[in-house]
Every structure is written in structure tokens, then in C-alpha cells.
Amino acid sequence: MEPDLSALEAHLEERDVDGYLLHSDSEDADQYYLSGFDAPDPFVSLYDGEVRLLFARSLEYGRARAESRAATVERYVDFDHEKLIEEHGRHEATNRAIAGFLAAHGVDSVAVPPRFPLRTADGLRGQGVSVAADPESALTAVRAIKTDEEVERVRETQRANEAAMARAEELLAGASIDDEDRLVHDGDVLTSERVREAIELTLLRHGCALDETIVACGADAADPHDRGSGPLRADEPIIVDVFPRSKESKYHSDMTRTFLRGTPGDTIREWYDLTAEAKATALDALEVGVTGEAVHGAACDVYEDAGLPTLRSDERTETGFIPSTGHGVGLDVHELPRVSPGGGELRPGHVVTIEP
């Protein structure tokens, strides 16, 4: 996949800098997006109209030349790194090698993302390179606009997610209830941990992995992002939130469902119905040209009209509708655009969740 970097070029022209610089490993989504290369250790990517890579060692050099989208791939050794170490010490040698790499490509000034390493920035400034922070993270905004190929990658991950959620539903629906109001499956008490294991095994079989899954019951379900633990109980809501990443494409999906085995109380049923209405209302409001803030506001209206607090109506509330309505999803599970207060205009190619 070749990304459209024309917006990044326009950003560099507007900022009057020669290039955009990254120094991180490929777990940084911006790094992976720009370089097209997966490496566990930090490396340098420069965009100056072309993508150019610089590696500290030769270990990844051959693979980067074969797999990355870079026009050039170089190593510290190409800039006399060992000699620089002898003369200046290791840290200063690294600064000089990166500065030499930039000079070789006629780059005297760079913009860098908000989390760019401070030591690298200060070291380059010490070598006369102008380093300007890019607080809005232009590259992150660029990759928020998905190509058709990227949309399909999210869909593939979502299909795996749906299979995992179906496995969780199967376990919950097939459970009985013991005399302590616990869910029991195949003779054993059904726990958050057991359902989470089934979800994660299903995802692995579909080529996906994830760091954590939420299966939270009762009071745990009311605490945002509590992973949940222990027995699952009848008559209480069970939140299942699954956000895997494809091991091949590295694109995420995100899916949340509420289950209940038994009989819901009046309050739980009311909140469930309100949330279903808020979700439908937000989806109705979702279209190109509206803002993420407006979509979030439509969901807030539903709760506020029912007399429940939101962070819009009470910024200090700890109950009621306190999350955002949604967010972008792609190489990061939470990325632009925001479907929340301050969320900007939604554009063709944005992929968002709606999950009040």
C-alpha cells in the first residue's frame, strides 16, 4: 500500500521546513505507516518528498531494502559512526550520524511529532539542525484518511472480532445458573477470565492478537475499562469489549456488547434502552461534513433528555454518560478522528466507532 502523503507535503511547505522526522520503533503507528517497515528497535524515518530510513545497525538493513517503501535505506556506519564514537562518545556520535544523514539529503530543518525523543531533538539542535515540534501531529491526521485497501484491512480484523464475540455469546447463552446466582458452563463456574481466554483463542485462530480484553460483570462493568475478574453472575450486565489487531496487517477493530443472563432490573433495562437509542441517534447523525463533536452531542441529547448527567452537562460528573461516543480506528485502536467534544469535521475515508 502506498499512502497519499500530499497533505504531509503541504504541511511541510506551510511550516517552511525541509522534512518530517520520526525516531521510534514500528509499534509507533506513524512510523509503521510512513516507513512500511516492521522493526522492534527504534530507527529513523525522514520524509522530504521521499521516504528515507536510517538504522543504527545492519541487522534490519537487508530486510528494510526489500520490504519497506523507502527510496533510500542507510545505516549509521554509512556516516562514520564508529569513528565518531571514538572521537565524541556514543551519544554524541549518534547525534552526528543522524545529522549527517539529514545533511546528505539536503535537510536543514525538520518537523517532529509530539512524542519525538527529546534527547534526539536536543542532539540535532546541537548540530545546527532546526527541529520544530508539530503539536497537531500532521502525519497522524494524514493516516486517519483511509484508502479502500486500509478499510478492507479493518473489515478483515472486524470479521475476526465478530467471531470472537460470537464465541463469548455462545458461552454466556449456554450457561446455567447455580444456587449462588453464578453462571456455570460444562460444570464449572463461568468467570471473566474463562470467557476472555475463549475470546483470545478465537482471535489467535483468526490471525489476530490483543493485549487485553474486557469481560466485566456488575459493578466492574460500570467502571470504564475495568477488565473484570471472577465469577459472572445472573441478572447483572456483562460488558464485553474486544479490540484486536491483525498480526499480518496491524490494523485494529473495536467492538463492545452488553450481555445479561437472567432477568434485568428496571434500571438496567432503562439504561440499555437509552444506550440503544443513543447509538441509533449517533449513527443517524453520522455523515461526511458534520463534526465528531456534533455526533457526540446527538448521543448526549438522548441521555440529558432522560434526566441523566453527561460530561457535557456536568464536567465533574463521575456517573451517567461519561465516555466519548466513538473514535477513529486503524493502526491504533484509538486514533483520529475524535467523536467527542472538540471532534473535527468527518471526511471521506474516516473509519470510526460508535459506542456510547
Side-chain angles (χ1 to χ4, degrees):
M1 183 200 76
E2 289 296 326
D4 179 2
L5 298 174
S6 57
L8 183 59
E9 290 188 33
H11 178 76
L12 297 179
E13 290 181 11
E14 182 181 338
R15 296 288 301 273
D16 193 25
V17 294
D18 298 328
Y20 202 89
L21 195 67
L22 302 174
H23 189 192
S24 60
D25 62 39
S26 57
E27 286 299 303
D28 175 357
D30 285 351
Q31 176 70 290
Y32 182 72
Y33 182 85
L34 183 64
S35 68
F37 187 65
D38 187 9
D41 296 318
F43 60 99
V44 173
S45 289
L46 168 69
Y47 182 75
D48 64 350
E50 300 281 1
V51 177
R52 307 185 187 280
L53 305 185
L54 177 68
F55 290 88
R57 300 182 295 164
S58 297
L59 186 65
E60 307 286 1
Y61 178 68
R63 190 166 63 88
R65 291 183 67 185
E67 297 178 6
S68 76
R69 63 171 56 96
T72 61
V73 179
E74 294 163 288
R75 301 157 294 177
Y76 286 8
V77 67
D78 298 319
F79 300 95
D80 297 323
H81 190 235
E82 290 302 317
K83 181 179 179 182
L84 291 171
I85 290 175
E86 293 177 6
E87 295 176 354
H88 305 284
R90 185 167 298 276
H91 292 321
E92 182 62 17
T94 297
N95 297 334
R96 289 172 180 259
I98 298 174
F101 162 72
L102 296 175
H105 296 291
V107 172
D108 297 318
S109 58
V110 293
V112 299
R115 296 186 180 181
F116 189 84
L118 180 60
R119 186 170 74 182
T120 304
D122 284 347
L124 290 176
R125 289 178 180 127
Q127 295 301 310
V129 178
S130 173
V131 180
D134 171 26
E136 299 303 318
S137 195
L139 186 54
T140 302
V142 167
R143 65 179 175 81
I145 305 293
K146 307 295 189 293
T147 64
D148 291 344
E149 183 178 350
E150 288 179 285
V151 172
E152 183 54 34
R153 290 176 179 180
V154 175
R155 284 199 180 105
E156 289 173 358
T157 310
Q158 177 61 16
R159 284 191 281 269
N161 204 348
E162 289 169 1
M165 191 66 77
R167 177 59 180 144
E169 182 177 6
E170 179 183 36
L171 285 172
L172 295 168
S176 59
I177 302 171
D178 70 9
D179 56 8
E180 295 182 41
D181 289 332
R182 301 175 301 182
L183 303 190
V184 176
H185 193 278
D186 288 342
D188 294 321
V189 173
L190 193 59
T191 63
S192 293
E193 291 82 359
R194 185 176 169 193
V195 175
R196 189 155 50 237
E197 178 184 73
I199 289 170
E200 292 175 0
L201 286 173
T202 302
L203 289 170
L204 283 172
R205 295 187 185 106
H206 284 77
C208 291
L210 73 172
D211 293 330
E212 58 184 42
T213 300
I214 295 171
V215 181
C217 180
D220 289 346
D223 191 359
H225 291 167
D226 188 316
R227 293 185 67 197
S229 62
L232 301 175
R233 298 190 174 276
D235 306 330
E236 295 187 2
I238 301 168
I239 298 292
V240 179
D241 188 358
V242 188
F243 33 98
R245 182 175 75 166
S246 166
K247 296 172 74 173
E248 180 179 358
S249 75
K250 297 189 177 296
Y251 281 77
H252 289 80
S253 73
D254 191 4
M255 187 176 184
T256 305
R257 294 291 184 268
T258 303
F259 299 98
L260 187 143
R261 189 76 170 83
T263 304
D266 291 343
T267 299
I268 292 172
R269 185 179 294 279
E270 176 192 4
W271 289 352
Y272 182 92
D273 290 343
L274 278 173
T275 300
E277 182 183 351
K279 178 183 175 183
T281 300
L283 285 170
D284 285 344
L286 188 68
E287 61 180 348
V288 170
V290 304
T291 65
E293 183 171 35
V295 176
H296 177 67
C300 288
D301 288 342
V302 172
Y303 292 103
E304 291 170 11
D305 289 347
L308 293 175
T310 71
L311 286 177
R312 184 179 70 173
S313 64
D314 178 2
E315 64 182 14
R316 299 183 66 84
T317 187
E318 298 180 17
T319 61
F321 181 47
I322 59 176
S324 63
T325 297
H327 52 82
V329 61
L331 287 172
D332 284 324
V333 69
H334 296 111
E335 63 178 43
L336 295 176
R338 299 180 183 89
V339 187
S340 60
E345 181 180 338
L346 300 176
R347 298 172 58 188
H350 280 157
V351 177
V352 300
T353 68
I354 297 295
E355 46 179 343

